Amino acid sequence: EVQAEESGGGSVQTGGSLTLSCTAPGFASRACTMIWYRQPAGEQREWVSSITINGDTNYRDYVKGRFTISTDKSKDMVFLQMNNLKPEDTAIYTCASFGVNCNHWGRGTQVTVSS
């Protein structure tokens, strides 16, 4: 397992924005698909969004139009821009990778949205 490191979490009010960052060493050279998961307290982890090395993106229906995933392959970083945040978005957000020789996992960053 390769350690990924997330940052950018915090506390915001409903309607606010946050941008999460994740450093995932080597993901670009390995052509990994990068993924953001989230896990609300007491609930199962759920997939939020993913982006392939070619830039194809997918989003959970609930976040479509509000969240944007992107990468900076020169820095091995992946981002999650989150707009119009809702209390239901409160969770620990974790980045990970998928693909051959791709095994990044982060410890997560807390996002708290208050009403």
Side-chain angles (χ1 to χ4, degrees):
E1 184 174 294
V2 179
Q3 188 66 44
E5 185 171 357
E6 304 91 344
S7 62
S11 297
V12 296
Q13 293 186 327
T14 298
S17 298
L18 285 172
T19 299
L20 305 183
S21 301
C22 171
T23 301
F27 94 81
S29 61
R30 301 177 194 184
C32 302
T33 291
M34 295 305 297
I35 304 166
W36 282 100
Y37 293 99
R38 69 185 183 188
Q39 186 169 17
E43 299 183 27
Q44 297 287 334
R45 181 190 297 132
E46 61 185 25
W47 168 81
V48 176
S49 180
S50 58
I51 183 168
T52 70
I53 199 65
N54 296 321
D56 296 322
T57 59
N58 280 289
Y59 299 94
R60 187 176 191 84
D61 284 347
Y62 188 72
V63 307
K64 283 181 180 178
R66 300 190 297 123
F67 290 12
T68 302
I69 190 171
S70 62
T71 61
D72 182 337
K73 287 183 276 189
S74 70
K75 298 180 180 178
D76 279 330
M77 294 187 73
V78 58
F79 306 97
L80 188 67
Q81 171 70 43
M82 306 185 294
N83 298 323
N84 190 22
L85 282 161
K86 304 177 181 182
E88 303 90 300
D89 295 316
T90 295
I92 295 174
Y93 286 72
T94 303
C95 71
S97 63
F98 174 80
V100 177
N101 295 320
C102 299
N103 56 354
H104 299 85
W105 275 100
R107 294 182 179 179
T109 186
Q110 176 71 47
V111 171
T112 302
V113 185
S114 58
S115 57

